[in-house]
Amino acid sequence: MIRRPPRSTLFPYTTLFRSSPLLIAGDNGLEIGIAAMHQQNSNYYVGLTVRFKSTPTQKINSNLFIRLKNNDLITLKYVNGQLGYLGGSQVAQAVFVSNNTQVAKLKNSALLTISFKLTDGIMRAYIIQMNGNALEKQLKCIH
C-alpha cells in the first residue's frame, strides 16, 4: 500500500493549484482568477489562474503587481508557475508569496488593478471587473 506523505511535506502551494479561484477580470482572450492561502509556517500565498479562451497558452513568469482601491501598490514575489487544464481549457497558474505587511494592506482594501507578464515578455494590466474584494475576504478568514 502506498502512503501519502504528511501534508507538511507537500509544497505549500499545492492546495492553491487545486483550489477554485474567484474570477476577477478578463477580456476576449482570457479570464483571470485569484485565490489566497496561509501555511503553517506563517507564509501567505496568492494563486493566480489565467484561462486562455482564444489566445495561445503561455506561462506566467513575473511578479504580480496589485494596485488597491486605496492607491497602495503591492508587488508579490513570483514563486512557481505551471500550465494545466481547468474545465477543458488550458490555464497558466502561478503562485506568489506575500509578507505580513502586504497581507495587512490586502485585508483592508479591495483590488483595483493587477499586472503581470507572460512568457512573451509583454506586461499585461487588467482593471478588476468583479470580486474586487476576493483577497480581502479570503485573507480575513485565514488565521
Side-chain angles (χ1 to χ4, degrees):
M1 179 173 159
I2 299 173
R3 293 184 56 202
R4 178 185 158 136
R7 284 169 105 41
S8 60
T9 62
L10 297 173
F11 283 118
Y13 41 82
T14 303
T15 305
L16 273 175
F17 284 151
R18 284 185 263 173
S19 68
S20 296
L22 289 172
L23 184 64
I24 58 169
D27 60 19
N28 291 336
L30 51 87
E31 295 174 339
I32 301 165
I34 201 159
M37 187 183 97
H38 178 251
Q39 277 302 106
Q40 294 174 349
N41 61 2
S42 77
N43 285 330
Y44 288 87
Y45 296 92
V46 172
L48 187 71
T49 301
V50 178
R51 182 181 202 162
F52 295 87
K53 297 189 291 185
S54 63
T55 58
T57 304
Q58 301 178 56
K59 278 180 72 173
I60 300 166
N61 66 349
S62 74
N63 292 337
L64 178 64
F65 304 96
I66 300 173
R67 171 80 57 196
L68 301 175
K69 289 216 177 192
N70 66 6
N71 216 25
D72 281 342
L73 179 64
I74 296 174
T75 302
L76 301 182
K77 185 179 177 192
Y78 175 80
V79 175
N80 186 31
Q82 68 184 29
L83 296 176
Y85 286 91
L86 181 67
S89 298
Q90 272 202 308
V91 296
Q93 298 172 309
V95 175
F96 306 89
V97 66
S98 58
N99 60 38
N100 290 333
T101 305
Q102 293 168 329
V103 169
K105 289 179 180 181
L106 288 168
K107 283 182 179 180
N108 293 314
S109 184
L111 306 177
L112 182 63
T113 64
I114 60 167
S115 304
F116 56 89
K117 286 183 187 177
L118 296 175
T119 50
D120 62 5
I122 298 171
M123 179 64 76
R124 288 165 169 77
Y126 294 91
I127 296 172
I128 303 306
Q129 299 165 342
M130 60 197 83
N131 298 319
N133 58 355
L135 285 181
E136 184 181 1
K137 286 182 176 181
Q138 289 175 1
L139 291 168
K140 285 180 180 178
C141 293
I142 298 172
H143 297 285

